[in-house]
Amino acid sequence: MRRILTMALILIGACNHSFSQELYVFTEPASNMPTKSIGVRLTNEGMFNNPGFVSRTVPEVMFGFNKNLMAHAQAFLSDMDGKYRLEGGSLYAKYRFLSIDEAQSHFRAAAFGRISTSKRPGFSRDINLEGDNSGWQAGLIFTQLLHKLALSATLGYADAFGPSDKVNRFNTPKPDKMLSYSLSSGYLVLPFVYKDYKEPNFNLYFELLGKTDPGSGESYLDLAPAVQVILNSRTRIDLGYRFQATGNMANRYLKNMYLLRAEFNFFNVLK
């Protein structure tokens, strides 16, 4: 029995190792977390584009129901409006509808949806459904793994809830609709050769994150480098920073922002 358990843990570790470079820091891949697993995340975001410094904390629970379906539940707390308070929450679901597997490579395609609520007053055309706006979002994700390199593209459409559901600051644009798009790359640096599921994984990421308001034509594109460490195939630590490369969207969210995250995974806990 002990030998079987050990082999199972090594198999889980090898699987997580193979896909670890898909665990992007600022976006989600088309791949899902292991079946019957639960993940717990705690994310801290800090932004320097406002007078002074503001931060947001995001506790999150993730559920891997089966190989094709997973869901996230998030809460958002920040001091962006003065006093540190609970801003709102979000539910996110992702369904993988295509898998093509080959030796040392695979292709995944998934559809996702999100619904969020926030009591923050708006001040930008930008729509951020992870703390700043109430609304819904849907889109598609395509992820290609090529040995140690993983590439992923995301296309999304977001719609903010109407003005009656959202208070805007005086004389500022109201968020309405938003197109989002991203291109993410992840590279497994360590280990060079996988020997044990307890070996630390070290990944490097670079992501392009963009949005366009179809009504006004305003848009922006951010660059987001990041590093990641995975311990014992269960614990993940992310550190990243995003900054604007180009754009003309005024008073936008998530500009010049660092992200620090810790994630803990528990396997075979769902019935």
Side-chain angles (χ1 to χ4, degrees):
M1 177 63 74
R2 181 176 298 178
R3 180 174 295 180
I4 294 174
L5 179 60
T6 300
M7 290 300 296
L9 289 174
I10 291 175
L11 183 61
I12 291 172
C15 180
N16 287 345
H17 161 85
S18 300
F19 305 154
S20 66
Q21 59 269 48
E22 295 181 34
L23 301 176
Y24 304 106
V25 175
F26 291 93
T27 60
E28 285 285 326
S31 299
N32 286 335
M33 61 193 300
T35 300
K36 298 182 180 180
S37 63
I38 292 179
V40 178
R41 284 179 178 174
L42 185 63
T43 302
N44 178 258
E45 302 170 345
M47 281 149 273
F48 302 92
N49 55 312
N50 294 300
F53 171 79
V54 294
S55 66
R56 170 175 288 132
T57 301
V58 185
E60 181 175 1
V61 181
M62 306 176 295
F63 305 91
F65 297 112
N66 55 52
K67 66 178 182 179
N68 294 323
L69 179 64
M70 67 175 295
H72 300 217
Q74 297 174 302
F76 310 113
L77 306 95
S78 87
D79 59 358
M80 292 184 178
D81 299 308
K83 183 179 179 181
Y84 200 84
R85 63 171 184 167
L86 176 66
E87 298 172 320
S90 176
L91 293 176
Y92 172 97
K94 179 173 58 176
Y95 182 78
R96 187 180 71 185
F97 60 85
L98 178 63
S99 299
I100 301 174
D101 295 304
E102 299 178 2
Q104 294 189 327
S105 71
H106 65 230
F107 178 79
R108 304 279 190 263
F112 71 90
R114 179 190 296 275
I115 186 167
S116 302
T117 181
S118 174
K119 57 185 179 183
R120 287 205 68 208
F123 64 96
S124 171
R125 295 188 190 278
D126 193 12
I127 296 177
N128 172 36
L129 297 182
E130 294 188 72
D132 293 306
N133 296 96
S134 298
W136 64 269
Q137 182 184 28
L140 297 171
I141 310 171
F142 305 93
T143 301
Q144 175 73 64
L145 175 68
L146 300 167
H147 191 36
K148 291 190 174 185
L149 175 66
L151 301 172
S152 189
T154 301
L155 299 172
Y157 173 84
D159 194 343
F161 292 154
S164 60
D165 301 317
K166 184 73 175 176
V167 177
N168 265 64
R169 293 191 172 111
F170 177 73
N171 200 28
T172 58
K174 291 181 172 62
D176 185 16
K177 297 174 176 58
M178 189 67 63
L179 300 175
S180 60
Y181 35 88
S182 67
L183 180 62
S184 304
S185 61
Y187 189 80
L188 176 65
V189 178
L190 294 172
F192 296 117
V193 178
Y194 181 74
K195 297 178 179 179
D196 186 271
Y197 76 95
K198 291 184 179 180
E199 284 185 312
N201 288 7
F202 180 72
N203 299 307
L204 292 178
Y205 294 95
F206 187 77
E207 303 186 60
L208 304 176
L209 312 169
K211 290 182 183 178
T212 296
D213 175 11
S216 67
E218 296 179 6
S219 64
Y220 66 84
L221 180 68
D222 284 358
L223 307 182
V227 296
Q228 181 185 81
V229 176
I230 299 176
L231 305 172
N232 294 322
S233 297
R234 295 175 178 269
T235 301
R236 166 183 163 186
I237 300 172
D238 300 337
L239 177 62
Y241 187 81
R242 64 184 292 174
F243 57 93
Q244 182 169 299
T246 184
N248 60 354
M249 190 175 294
N251 300 320
R252 47 160 295 217
Y253 303 117
L254 308 181
K255 186 178 181 180
N256 302 328
M257 180 196 86
Y258 77 78
L259 183 151
L260 177 62
R261 174 186 294 129
E263 178 182 317
F264 309 93
N265 290 281
F266 306 92
F267 303 119
N268 294 315
V269 293
L270 293 177
K271 295 183 179 181

